[in-house]
Amino acid sequence: MPSKRTISGWGRYPVIEAREEFPAGRETLSPKLNAPYLPRGQGRSYGDAGLPASDHTALNTSYLDRFISFDPVTGILEAEGGVTLERILRFSLPRGFFLPVTPGTMFVSLGGALASNVHGKNHHRCGSIEHFVTEFEIGTPSGTFTCSRESNRELFLATLGGYGLTGTITRANLKLKPVTSIQVDCLRIRAKNLEAMFRLFEEHDTNFEYSVAWMDALAKGGNRGRGILMLGNHSDMPVTGNRSREKTKLRVPFPMPGMLMNNASLKVFNTAIYLFSRHGKSRENFESFFYPLDRILDWNLLYGKQGFLQYQCVIPDPHGQQGIESCLRFLSDNGLGSFVSVLKRCGDDEVMLPFCKRGYTLALDIPFHGTKTLRALDRLDALVIDYGGRVYLTKDARLKPEAFRAMYPEYKTWMDTIRHFNPEGKISSRLAERLKLWDA
Amino acid sequence: MGRIVIFSATSGIARAVAEEFLAQGEELVLTGRSKESLDAVARDLQVLSGKAIPCFVWDVLGFAEHERLFRELIAVHDISGLFMAAGIQIPQKECDAEPAKTLLTFNTNLNGPVAVMTLFAQHFKQTNSGFISCVSSVAGDRGRGSITAYASSKAGLSAHLQGLANRLKNTGVLIQCVKPGYVRTPMTAGLRSLLIVSPRWAARDIVNAIRKKREVVYTPFFWKYIMLVIRAIPEPLFRKLGL
Ligand SMILES: Cc1cc2nc3c(=O)[nH]c(=O)nc-3n(C[C@H](O)[C@H](O)[C@H](O)COP(=O)(O)OP(=O)(O)OC[C@H]3O[C@@H](n4cnc5c(N)ncnc54)[C@H](O)[C@@H]3O)c2cc1C
Ligand SMILES: NC(=O)c1ccc[n+]([C@@H]2O[C@H](COP(=O)([O-])OP(=O)(O)OC[C@H]3O[C@@H](n4cnc5c(N)ncnc54)[C@H](OP(=O)(O)O)[C@@H]3O)[C@@H](O)[C@H]2O)c1
């Protein structure tokens, strides 16, 4: 049995001591599923969704990473649950296929992407990854099941966006999307304030498959919500011969001094980006469009030892715009800085515990300054709840159980299904403990 | 053009090497001790390359079977090279508690691979062509207190390969000793080090070095210099470092 070690999510808060096992291949998995555990992928969820509950072992899927089949006609790729999106792209791009939905980093596992039902810059067009999963196999404490929309539907819908609590996705079929190029035709437009930003979204994002806005969350008054809207469509210049060249990556070697991320430096950074970043039309490599942060490995260490909190909420229509404005006002009134703030329009998710609702979603990276930060975010939760919004659990490390229940009225049905397959909480996470899911 | 046979194709490093070979248009035969794992890896490589890849279940500890399996293999396939990745690393504490584990380490890392490679070396010598690339380790460059069994098995392996290279020096056969530092594979699962690299990195170095006919390969390259220093540290000081 391996000894305990420290592990954390991408935000490096909280950090816990736990055992971690690394089974090599699907065929070696079953004996490991007997002890209390939690499946864990690449640890790119920010908070504690990927951290095992006390006395549970993390079952790391890094070596469950094999392809099983690929059909170039339908674009359906069958792979083990731990294969990374990076590996999928390395395989699929030269063959003219891209991920149907992708988060802002390719260093996540397929199983992790399904367990968070990830959304991408095309959510307003085609929803979350749930729509492209044709089938998966899952090992639960009550047995192994093959799930799809047609068979074992409940388990299918409770597992997608189910944060690992139903079991381990051992293999999945993902329908990739044909593209002719690895490049993206982009349009970047500067918005001088939030009102202008919303207008730009409404004007443009129907013509573009991908849209997302980067915002200066520290700007106040008439500048509040200023930022840059980034729009993109897959270019139709052929891919042939482009085995995209790998760029050398930078790595942050160790946690930077906490001082680095103070409100003054955040302000300078955000203002500089607003003023100096490119705008207008361009043609970009998919990596710089979809995965700008992946250029710097371990960038989370920039936030220092104390880590940071990611706060992503969605505010549904018809109050989306108003709600986002209130959130931004709240941030500046409370002196909460955010290094990178992202705004995006989204549609409705259809899984059992959906995060995305038709409206706007705002994601913030907030340096962690202890209880002060935590208390402020509790108040932000209250505001989000007033607007009928919710917080994304895969990014969360601090939401209170009551707030969770207010945000996610669907949780009861979801928990009923989880209990059906995982009756004794043999699979459990710190997230589940913190939100008191087992008491629900 | 013959096929390259990969020993312990289920290994993290070997899978990456196989991918690299396939990308260069080489044909392969895979071996491994578990049929299930081997089949899964073969399928993965088949998805990548679009070609079915023959597999042989082959345990390097099956000393009585080596000759038979070798004959079966060369009867069906023309083999032009061998890549050997079999190896285990058992915590030294366990080896101390159970001498059988030290033996198992030696048998898996040294005796088994040597038995297999001997058969192929003779075969390649007769045809005056081919290569053997075998994964040893930087750990074999100096006796180590923290991983005594593993390091000494690899030291034996490195010495064997060096000897073999000397013996076959006037033939067209390449004998290559690969000395990786830290590579992210199941063997090093969970290890946190700034020096750790992806199996793909190691695989590229290895395949390049085969093309360039290099007999000793450190991967990544900087381990050559690290080991130069480590070997130069006087024993009393080395002991204090407790490596
Ligand atoms: C830079 C960055 C950008 C991001 N951008 C986006 C974005 O645009 N949209 C978005 O939706 N998300 C985004 N995310 C979040 C990320 O996509 C999710 O947190 C994803 O789940 C991480 O996958 P992972 O493999 O790292 O899983 P982990 O973090 O290890 O685990 C996440 C959850 O998945 C479960 N899990 C993991 N593997 C399995 C399995 N095989 N079977 C069952 N359950 C499993 C775990 O139990 C846990 O609950 C981003 C994250 C980062 C770091
Ligand atoms: N990773 C590193 O940092 C590192 C550094 C220096 C040297 N190395 C060496 O690199 C080689 C490959 O290791 P890896 O890092 O890729 O780790 P790995 O994935 O654990 O590979 C070890 C391989 O050895 C196989 N094996 C074990 N016993 C065997 C037996 N009796 N018969 C046949 N095969 C057997 C395993 O087969 P199963 O899959 O069936 O278990 C597995 O394929 C090893 O020799 C290792 O010592 C690795």
Side-chain angles (χ1 to χ4, degrees):
Chain A
M1 187 173 261
S3 50
K4 287 197 175 180
R5 48 199 242 112
T6 57
I7 56 173
S8 73
W10 190 244
R12 296 167 49 79
Y13 172 82
V15 179
I16 66 159
E17 295 264 319
R19 285 180 222 288
E20 189 165 17
E21 296 229 38
F22 296 79
R26 205 154 45 106
E27 66 284 354
T28 67
L29 202 58
S30 46
K32 315 251 182 205
L33 301 182
N34 294 324
Y37 80 97
L38 179 77
R40 176 173 165 90
Q42 293 296 308
R44 250 55 177 200
S45 54
Y46 282 78
D48 53 7
L51 301 181
S54 353
D55 300 322
H56 284 55
T57 300
L59 195 79
N60 191 301
T61 61
S62 291
Y63 302 108
L64 252 65
D65 64 340
R66 298 146 183 172
F67 295 135
I68 300 169
S69 67
F70 177 64
D71 180 344
V73 178
T74 59
I76 293 178
L77 175 72
E78 181 186 8
E80 291 185 343
V83 71
T84 60
L85 301 189
E86 185 215 4
R87 184 163 200 244
I88 294 182
L89 283 171
R90 212 167 351 103
F91 165 75
S92 71
L93 275 173
R95 291 165 178 78
F97 287 92
F98 193 69
L99 296 163
V101 163
T102 175
T105 170
M106 56 175 134
F107 300 127
V108 305
S109 67
L110 179 57
L114 301 197
S116 298
N117 191 27
V118 296
H119 56 269
K121 297 179 174 56
N122 52 358
H123 196 277
H124 63 293
R125 279 273 184 97
C126 62
S128 293
I129 203 161
E130 55 175 308
H131 299 294
F132 304 92
V133 180
T134 54
E135 183 185 299
F136 61 76
E137 179 190 85
I138 181 167
T140 79
S142 315
T144 298
F145 301 90
T146 302
C147 306
S148 65
R149 272 169 203 276
E150 292 74 42
S151 75
N152 296 310
R153 183 180 166 87
E154 303 273 285
L155 183 55
F156 184 81
L157 295 175
T159 299
L160 296 169
Y163 305 102
L165 297 174
T166 47
T168 302
I169 299 166
T170 49
R171 67 168 174 81
N173 293 11
L174 185 69
K175 192 167 165 59
L176 303 177
K177 153 208 178 99
V179 290
T180 34
S181 167
I182 61 167
Q183 292 187 311
V184 180
D185 291 325
C186 315
L187 174 63
R188 285 167 208 260
I189 314 174
R190 210 180 264 173
K192 66 178 198 301
N193 55 33
L194 196 58
E195 205 191 320
M197 182 69 88
F198 287 133
R199 212 171 334 108
L200 287 174
F201 261 110
E202 279 168 13
E203 229 174 272
H204 290 281
D205 83 351
T206 41
N207 300 327
F208 286 88
E209 179 163 0
Y210 300 103
S211 71
V212 69
W214 165 87
M215 277 200 306
D216 175 1
L218 292 149
K220 291 189 183 178
N223 288 336
R224 173 168 294 125
R226 69 178 179 184
I228 293 157
L229 177 64
M230 288 174 269
L231 302 152
N233 281 322
H234 288 283
S235 160
D236 42 25
M237 245 189 28
V239 230
T240 41
N242 288 311
R243 221 180 132 184
S244 92
R245 292 208 127 256
E246 255 165 88
K247 300 214 173 67
T248 348
K249 301 200 161 69
L250 300 172
R251 178 186 291 277
V252 182
F254 39 71
M256 292 290 130
M259 299 297 292
L260 205 65
M261 295 287 184
N262 56 37
N263 275 357
S265 65
L266 293 186
K267 198 162 210 143
V268 171
F269 173 81
N270 276 277
T271 308
I273 291 221
Y274 175 70
L275 292 177
F276 301 121
S277 78
R278 287 177 283 185
H279 52 117
K281 284 188 180 171
S282 61
R283 180 167 286 165
E284 283 178 26
N285 190 286
F286 77 97
E287 279 182 288
S288 71
F289 185 78
F290 291 104
Y291 311 110
L293 291 169
D294 286 352
R295 298 281 286 279
I296 307 168
L297 300 174
D298 297 339
W299 60 261
N300 54 344
L301 297 179
L302 287 173
Y303 285 87
K305 276 214 161 62
Q306 72 277 29
F308 66 104
L309 298 169
Q310 157 107 186
Y311 190 93
Q312 183 174 358
C313 62
V314 63
I315 311 280
D317 287 343
H319 303 299
Q321 303 194 354
Q322 203 188 333
I324 297 294
E325 168 150 30
S326 304
C327 289
L328 289 180
R329 192 182 299 273
F330 179 92
L331 289 180
S332 54
D333 288 352
N334 288 275
L336 285 177
S338 167
F339 188 43
V340 185
S341 318
V342 171
L343 180 70
K344 145 127 217 84
R345 209 163 154 71
C346 51
D348 285 308
D349 281 348
E350 291 166 17
V351 295
M352 233 177 242
L353 194 75
F355 165 65
C356 288
K357 293 270 155 195
R358 176 158 300 283
Y360 279 94
T361 172
L362 176 68
L364 308 160
D365 283 347
I366 297 173
F368 183 56
H369 296 302
T371 43
K372 191 178 100 213
T373 318
L374 293 175
R375 252 186 253 132
L377 291 182
D378 286 342
R379 281 181 282 127
L380 184 53
D381 289 339
L383 194 151
V384 168
I385 293 171
D386 279 347
Y387 280 101
R390 47 187 67 192
V391 158
Y392 193 8
L393 298 183
T394 209
K395 308 236 169 141
D396 176 55
R398 27 78 34 205
L399 191 66
K400 297 262 165 62
E402 312 74 51
F404 164 71
R405 282 168 208 197
M407 290 175 176
Y408 286 91
E410 310 87 343
Y411 79 92
K412 281 202 169 113
T413 341
W414 177 61
M415 276 312 293
D416 285 345
T417 312
I418 290 183
R419 272 212 201 79
H420 185 79
F421 293 97
N422 176 19
E424 282 139 27
K426 194 163 133 186
I427 302 177
S428 182
S429 60
R430 294 282 158 139
L431 176 91
E433 283 183 334
R434 174 167 58 81
L435 298 180
K436 298 198 170 33
L437 294 182
W438 305 111
D439 307 347
Chain B
M1 193 184 75
R3 288 178 186 266
I4 299 167
V5 55
I6 311 271
F7 273 80
S8 298
T10 54
S11 117
I13 293 178
R15 281 181 60 195
V17 166
E19 265 188 52
E20 200 58 33
F21 276 139
L22 288 171
Q24 316 237 327
E26 300 284 356
E27 307 256 13
L28 305 178
V29 180
L30 310 180
T31 80
R33 59 174 163 171
S34 142
K35 178 164 185 340
E36 249 187 321
S37 301
L38 191 58
D39 286 347
V41 166
R43 256 188 108 149
D44 175 81
L45 294 172
Q46 178 172 348
V47 171
L48 289 176
S49 66
K51 286 183 259 181
I53 304 171
C55 291
F56 277 67
V57 176
W58 198 326
D59 187 327
V60 298
L61 298 176
F63 294 96
E65 303 290 309
H66 290 326
E67 180 117 26
R68 178 182 61 81
L69 284 163
F70 170 74
R71 300 267 159 245
E72 271 176 33
L73 176 69
I74 59 165
V76 249
H77 300 293
D78 171 20
I79 301 297
S80 61
L82 179 161
F83 179 74
M84 169 63 74
I88 50 170
Q89 183 169 10
I90 302 174
Q92 185 56 36
K93 267 200 206 121
E94 291 178 34
C95 291
D96 291 342
E98 285 173 71
K101 291 199 169 162
T102 300
L103 256 178
L104 181 65
T105 304
F106 272 81
N107 280 334
T108 312
N109 296 358
L110 177 60
N111 301 350
V114 165
V116 170
M117 289 188 297
T118 304
L119 293 165
F120 284 88
Q122 286 308 105
H123 178 67
F124 291 146
K125 190 178 159 192
Q126 277 162 20
T127 57
N128 243 326
S129 67
F131 71 85
I132 292 180
S133 169
C134 174
V135 190
S136 183
S137 170
V138 294
D141 278 11
R142 185 159 191 178
R144 302 264 303 268
S146 56
I147 45 169
T148 317
Y150 179 77
S152 53
S153 69
K154 291 295 190 184
L157 186 61
S158 298
H160 179 83
L161 291 163
Q162 192 179 17
L164 202 56
N166 282 332
R167 182 140 46 84
L168 298 184
K169 65 173 182 289
N170 291 324
T171 68
V173 186
L174 167 71
I175 305 291
Q176 178 177 82
C177 176
V178 180
K179 300 181 178 183
Y182 297 132
V183 186
R184 200 174 294 293
T185 69
M187 186 176 280
T188 52
L191 178 77
R192 290 176 185 137
S193 162
L194 274 178
L195 299 184
I196 201 162
V197 297
S198 67
R200 270 199 308 146
W201 180 325
R204 280 199 194 132
D205 284 355
I206 293 167
V207 172
N208 268 335
I210 293 173
R211 199 164 33 85
K212 292 186 185 149
K213 302 199 179 302
R214 302 225 327 259
E215 292 180 352
V216 178
V217 196
Y218 284 90
T219 172
F221 67 94
F222 50 75
W223 282 96
K224 182 172 170 185
Y225 306 102
I226 297 179
M227 294 322 290
L228 218 70
V229 173
I230 290 201
R231 274 196 313 268
I233 300 174
E235 199 62 26
L237 178 60
F238 193 67
R239 226 158 257 188
K240 281 208 187 108
L241 295 174
L243 289 166

